[in-house]
């Protein structure tokens, strides 16, 4: 079966094509890309037998759920390429397989440490957005940058709302020295020219994801790049309401430039990462103190030169505060360990599956079956 020549416009590449040698399409199956996800409902794009672009609502097959029920990271997310089977009328489909990802990032669920969920898959570039107003915070940027580096895609830092900052130059310089080699741009929705430099990243078939805290202007930028008001943005009146975020699900859009853009909801939705962020801000004094301990791996117990013990003695740090830090810290470490173990297990499973596939192929080859 020959594939649609339009697939590369949605980001299809040789990397995915090669996977079809191991798992060829069966009768009636098509290649599709996930363009939106809301819980277990997926919206997909594919090309029908007349090679026309078709959107459909898709669900995972029972067999897929059964086989991958334990490992959330194997479930599809926005940007994933899947093998699916459309129903006869074409507007609904069943997802059978998720192709191996070239890059991805996931969120850990706060309440349930064993669960992690794909935020965006198969992305080439991450626009890490942080506003240049009073919300500017280098530590938070660091956290987003570590998600970005882990994903396998290349980050670009955007200082948004530059119009709300008297002088953006010092911030630019600070970010540049902190993240050497990462492109940094100051942009403002009120100044279309500030968006122009971003267009060099928006090459046809390349996928870009917008990442950053709620309210930094991701969807506003998305609309400017889409050249139309397609994404819902926060009401001006609601701008002080930090409790809610405007974008509630992740979606992929085709830009006029031919690039693909994924908009994501803000930080709160990023689960545990957010908790850790809040934690670090909450106990900034203690984290600063602990950097002053003589030994880098100080347990803040009986070590000589411990800045925490000294602060407890002098009264600078109360015992109550130190204890609440310790209990939260223990909890977070525990959650982190559990999640890491689960992720490692899923990674091993994935490689096992790939190896098994190869073994089957070799066997078939030796028997002259392929
Ligand atoms: N002054 C100024 N306001 C901006 C700019 N960009 C966005 N805003 C405003 O900031 C608010 C939040 O913008 P959104 O685009 O909805 O933010 P978001 O990052 O998509 O937020 P979530 O969807 O909640 O994650 C809106 O009221 C925008 O009008 C900018 O460059 N300058
Ligand atoms: Mg938004
Ligand atoms: Zn110490």
């Amino acid at each position: 079966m020959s594939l649609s020549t339009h697939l590369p416009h949605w980001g299809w590449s040789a990397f995915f094509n090669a996977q079809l040698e191991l798992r060829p399409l069966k009768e009636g199956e098509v290649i599709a890309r996930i363009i939106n996800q809301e819980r277990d409902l997926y919206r997909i794009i594919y090309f029908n037998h007349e090679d026309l672009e078709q959107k459909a609502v898709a669900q995972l097959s029972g067999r897929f759920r059964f086989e991958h029920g334990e490992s959330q990271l194997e479930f599809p997310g926005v940007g994933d390429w899947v093998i699916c089977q459309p129903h006869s009328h074409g507007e609904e489909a069943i997802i059978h397989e998720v192709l191996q990802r070239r890059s991805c990032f996931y969120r850990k669920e706060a309440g349930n440490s064993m669960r992690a969920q794909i935020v965006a898959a198969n992305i080439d570039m991450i626009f890490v957005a942080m506003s240049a107003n009073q919300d500017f915070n280098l530590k938070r940027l660091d956290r987003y940058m570590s998600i970005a580096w882990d994903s396998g895609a290349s980050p670009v830092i955007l200082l948004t709302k530059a119009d709300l900052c008297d002088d953006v130059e010092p911030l630019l310089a600070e970010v540049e020295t902190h993240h050497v080699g990462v492109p940094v741009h100051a942009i403002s929705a009120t100044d279309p020219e500030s968006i122009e430099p971003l267009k060099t990243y928006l090459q046809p078939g390349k996928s870009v994801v917008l990442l950053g805290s709620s309210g930094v202007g991701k969807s506003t930028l998305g609309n400017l790049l889409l050249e139309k008001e397609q994404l819902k943005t926060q009401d001006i009146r609601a701008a002080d309401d930090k409790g809610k975020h405007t974008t509630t699900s992740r979606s992929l859009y085709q830009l006029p430039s031919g690039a693909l853009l994924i908009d994501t909801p803000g930080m709160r939705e990023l689960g545990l990462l957010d908790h850790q962020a809040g934690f670090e801000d909450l106990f900034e004094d203690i984290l600063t103190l602990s950097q002053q301990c003589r030994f880098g791996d100080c347990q803040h117990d009986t070590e000589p030169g411990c800045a925490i013990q000294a602060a407890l003695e002098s009264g600078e740090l109360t015992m109550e505060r130190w204890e609440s830090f310790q209990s939260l810290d223990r909890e977070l470490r525990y959650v982190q360990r559990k999640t890491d173990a689960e992720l490692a297990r899923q990674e091993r499973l994935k490689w096992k599956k790939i190896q098994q596939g190869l073994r089957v192929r070799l066997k078939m080859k030796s028997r002259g079956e392929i």
Side-chain angles (χ1 to χ4, degrees):
M1 198 188 299
S2 66
L3 290 178
S4 169
T5 53
H6 301 305
L7 281 174
H9 300 158
W10 284 92
W12 182 258
S13 66
F15 175 84
F16 303 108
N17 226 20
Q19 297 181 49
L20 296 183
E21 286 189 22
L22 267 179
R23 165 57 169 95
L25 291 185
K26 296 175 193 154
E27 185 64 35
E29 285 181 341
V30 296
I31 294 293
R33 194 165 193 196
I34 310 264
I35 57 170
N36 174 267
Q37 178 190 2
E38 258 162 288
R39 293 175 188 275
D40 46 7
L41 263 198
Y42 298 92
R43 272 166 224 287
I44 58 167
I45 178 117
Y46 71 96
F47 293 89
N48 66 18
H49 51 274
E50 286 162 352
D51 209 15
L52 294 174
E53 189 173 299
Q54 172 95 47
K55 286 188 175 135
V57 174
Q59 275 178 300
L60 292 166
S61 74
R63 192 181 59 88
F64 188 98
R65 285 179 182 289
F66 178 71
E67 287 180 358
H68 304 267
E70 296 288 322
S71 37
Q72 292 285 320
L73 285 186
E74 291 178 11
F75 279 52
V78 170
D80 262 322
W81 285 101
V82 294
I83 295 178
C84 61
Q85 185 133 28
H87 292 190
S88 49
H89 52 82
E91 284 157 19
E92 282 168 33
I94 296 289
I95 299 169
H96 290 304
E97 300 279 349
V98 179
L99 296 190
Q100 199 193 322
R101 300 171 180 128
R102 216 152 36 83
S103 61
C104 75
F105 66 88
Y106 48 83
R107 74 181 249 239
K108 298 167 182 178
E109 275 179 30
N112 187 343
S113 57
M114 298 305 278
R115 290 167 73 96
Q117 197 182 44
I118 296 295
V119 175
N122 300 317
I123 39 185
D124 298 284
M125 200 147 278
I126 301 190
F127 283 174
V128 179
M130 156 138 317
S131 60
N133 65 4
Q134 65 276 9
D135 291 333
F136 177 84
N137 178 326
L138 270 180
K139 257 200 242 155
R140 194 182 314 124
L141 180 62
D142 283 350
R143 279 185 300 265
Y144 277 117
M145 287 302 285
S146 76
I147 305 174
W149 287 123
D150 283 349
S151 74
S154 339
V156 171
I157 299 171
L158 305 182
L159 293 183
T160 60
K161 305 193 183 183
D163 56 294
L164 297 181
C165 172
D166 292 336
D167 185 8
V168 80
E169 289 302 325
L171 295 186
L172 276 172
E174 205 174 350
V175 171
E176 271 164 4
T177 49
H178 222 77
H179 295 281
V180 179
V182 179
V184 188
H185 301 274
I187 61 164
S188 165
T190 57
D191 174 15
E193 262 184 40
S194 68
I195 315 287
E196 281 305 308
L198 304 187
K199 300 205 168 148
T200 55
Y201 305 112
L202 306 172
Q203 299 297 320
K206 295 284 178 215
S207 301
V208 181
V209 63
L210 294 166
L211 180 67
S213 303
S214 191
V216 298
K218 297 180 296 295
S219 302
T220 305
L221 172 63
N223 281 332
L224 287 167
L225 298 176
L226 279 161
E227 295 171 19
K228 60 182 167 189
E229 293 288 312
Q230 189 170 354
L231 312 181
K232 196 167 168 253
T233 57
Q234 198 173 357
D235 204 307
I236 296 291
R237 278 164 299 153
D240 295 330
D241 182 4
K242 303 246 179 205
K244 73 170 212 239
H245 39 81
T246 309
T247 305
T248 51
S249 72
R250 306 171 275 269
S251 300
L252 183 146
Y253 306 87
Q254 215 170 19
L255 298 181
S257 74
L260 303 144
L261 184 78
I262 300 176
D263 190 19
T264 67
M267 189 138 174
R268 237 167 278 270
E269 219 251 347
L270 284 173
L272 180 65
L273 298 162
D274 192 19
H275 280 231
Q276 214 144 9
F279 176 74
E280 283 170 22
D281 290 342
L282 207 59
F283 291 107
E284 194 163 350
D285 53 338
I286 293 181
L287 294 170
T288 311
L289 275 174
S290 68
Q291 282 162 3
Q292 293 158 13
C293 295
R294 186 177 307 161
F295 301 108
D297 59 350
C298 185
Q299 301 297 303
H300 319 303
D301 194 8
T302 54
E303 287 88 345
C306 174
I308 299 276
Q309 288 301 333
L312 283 171
E313 254 162 58
S314 74
E316 186 192 335
L317 177 65
T318 65
M319 191 44 106
E320 202 186 351
R321 186 163 170 74
W322 174 233
E323 277 169 0
S324 70
F325 171 87
Q326 283 177 306
S327 72
L328 254 172
D329 186 46
R330 261 196 304 276
E331 195 177 314
L332 268 175
R333 276 173 209 268
Y334 175 67
V335 167
Q336 185 80 47
R337 257 200 318 275
K338 264 178 38 178
T339 315
D340 288 350
E342 169 63 7
L343 294 180
R345 192 184 73 82
Q346 290 173 7
E347 191 66 15
R348 277 197 303 277
L349 261 179
K350 188 178 90 191
W351 283 106
K352 209 166 126 192
K353 255 179 63 184
I354 292 172
Q355 270 176 347
Q356 278 168 350
L358 277 174
R359 227 173 285 141
V360 169
R361 254 177 82 78
L362 284 175
K363 219 180 256 171
M364 286 169 78
K365 216 166 196 168
S366 71
R367 291 204 217 104
E369 290 169 3
I370 48 170

